[in-house]
Amino acid sequence: MSTTVLFDVPGPKALRRHRVIGIVGVLIGVALIAALIYGLRSQLGWDAWSAIFTGQAWADYFLPGIVNTVQAAAAALILASLLGLVLALGRMSFVRPVRWVCSVLVEFFRAVPVLMAMLFFYYLMVFAEPFATLVDPSLKGLVGVIAGLTFYNGAVMAELLRAGVSSLPKGQTEAGLAIGLSLGQTRRIILLPQAITAMMPALVSQLVIIVKDTALGYIITYPELLRSATNLSSGGTNIIPVFLVAALLFIVINYALSRFAEHLQDRMRKRRGGKAVTIEEAHQGSFLADEGALEEAVDQHHHA
């Protein structure tokens, strides 16, 4: 008998064996965690935590670190989105030199490690003229972090958007051309908005990566959350509780961003779903939600 799965369904003996292996694995994991906690018991007592829950620790270290992390991530997200949009359109351009240049830029910045890009831009502003005098010394770390994150994530977002446009049905393009739009207008008005919605989960993942990669600013002395936690621990506070709190703050920030992005994605889908589109709206740049809406627009155009 043919089957569509890649493995046989486990029988009663296999199921019992899997349960035993699962229970043993959980017990081993619990034992390792308990041994770790026991070994660190002297560093996890209240005396080690008391210095963290003070106004000075939060006012001088944690809160400024959160602000600097969010500030760098927000600026990098905006600039990377704009750069990704430009590079994506450039890679889909009908002008061959533009397409080649954008392709080279995307492949180059995707291949370069983020930390290397941050170091390059930071030392460019420290030693190279006239960049050394254009940026205030207190902002060089921030600019280096933003520049490194922008170019790397902009290249990744460009590939995500291009892949999203390429994955759409060909009928979308044909319907756009049928209502009088040029191929470029079809991509900007019809295909790109749908690609952004379709690739939203991947874009959200990239947003989380941007927030986490701000921690690389530690190397160029940018006072983000990890650097602030390190400075706090260097003042005599136990390093393990400090880093546990910093990790928890990163988790909270990324979870909040993920939830907001999911809410935004749902709103975009509800706003565009099931809406009839007219020829006038298409020419004015309104979003065409799906192939059904495009076909309806084509029918209206033919009956006019």
Side-chain angles (χ1 to χ4, degrees):
M1 182 177 64
S2 62
T3 178
T4 57
V5 297
L6 300 179
F7 56 90
D8 294 331
V9 178
K13 291 184 179 180
L15 289 174
R16 286 195 295 269
R17 184 169 61 250
H18 292 171
R19 292 192 188 99
V20 171
I21 294 174
I23 293 173
V24 171
V26 170
L27 292 176
I28 293 175
V30 171
L32 291 175
I33 294 174
L36 179 63
I37 295 175
Y38 180 79
L40 297 174
R41 65 188 185 281
S42 61
Q43 302 185 50
L44 296 177
W46 173 247
D47 292 338
W49 290 88
S50 59
I52 296 175
F53 298 102
T54 62
Q56 181 181 6
W58 286 87
D60 296 342
Y61 297 98
F62 286 122
L63 291 180
I66 293 173
V67 170
N68 291 334
T69 294
V70 173
Q71 174 181 262
L77 173 64
I78 295 172
L79 295 175
S81 300
L82 295 175
L83 178 62
L85 180 62
V86 171
L87 291 177
L89 293 175
R91 292 206 70 178
M92 296 183 293
S93 173
F94 304 110
V95 181
R96 185 171 299 178
V98 173
R99 188 168 63 249
W100 285 352
V101 170
C102 291
S103 298
V104 170
L105 291 176
V106 168
E107 296 301 329
F108 175 79
F109 287 115
R110 285 176 62 197
V112 174
V114 182
L115 179 57
M116 184 180 293
M118 289 184 183
L119 290 171
F120 171 78
F121 288 109
Y122 176 72
Y123 287 117
L124 183 69
M125 291 177 292
V126 171
F127 298 111
E129 295 290 346
F131 302 103
T133 56
L134 290 177
V135 181
D136 187 89
S138 62
L139 298 177
K140 290 181 179 179
L142 173 62
V143 175
V145 171
I146 293 175
L149 292 175
T150 296
F151 283 100
Y152 172 76
N153 291 282
V156 174
M157 289 183 178
E159 282 299 280
L160 290 174
L161 293 175
R162 188 175 71 91
V165 171
S166 301
S167 66
L168 294 174
K170 293 183 178 180
Q172 300 279 7
T173 303
E174 295 171 356
L177 297 175
I179 61 176
L181 298 178
S182 66
L183 192 53
Q185 290 175 324
T186 302
R187 284 179 174 174
R188 293 192 304 269
I189 299 173
I190 300 175
L191 302 182
L192 195 59
Q194 295 182 77
I196 292 174
T197 302
M199 304 305 295
M200 186 63 72
L203 295 175
V204 171
S205 299
Q206 202 61 34
L207 171 59
V208 173
I209 292 173
I210 290 175
V211 175
K212 292 193 298 183
D213 282 350
T214 57
L216 296 174
Y218 173 94
I219 305 298
I220 57 177
T221 69
Y222 177 64
E224 42 70 49
L225 183 54
L226 179 60
R227 183 78 183 188
S228 299
T230 305
N231 292 339
L232 176 60
S233 64
S234 64
T237 306
N238 197 307
I239 191 171
I240 293 179
V242 170
F243 278 10
L244 287 176
V245 172
L248 179 61
L249 292 174
F250 270 113
I251 292 172
V252 170
I253 293 172
N254 286 324
Y255 178 77
L257 291 174
S258 299
R259 295 296 298 174
F260 172 75
E262 290 173 2
H263 174 70
L264 179 62
Q265 181 184 12
D266 292 338
R267 284 180 59 90
M268 290 174 63
R269 286 178 175 174
K270 291 178 181 178
R271 182 178 179 182
R272 290 165 48 198
K275 179 182 177 182
V277 181
T278 64
I279 298 299
E280 290 74 19
E281 288 176 332
H283 282 289
Q284 291 171 4
S286 298
F287 290 167
L288 299 181
D290 50 30
E291 192 168 355
L294 286 168
E295 291 173 354
E296 184 176 351
V298 173
D299 292 338
Q300 293 177 359
H301 178 64
H302 287 163
H303 287 90

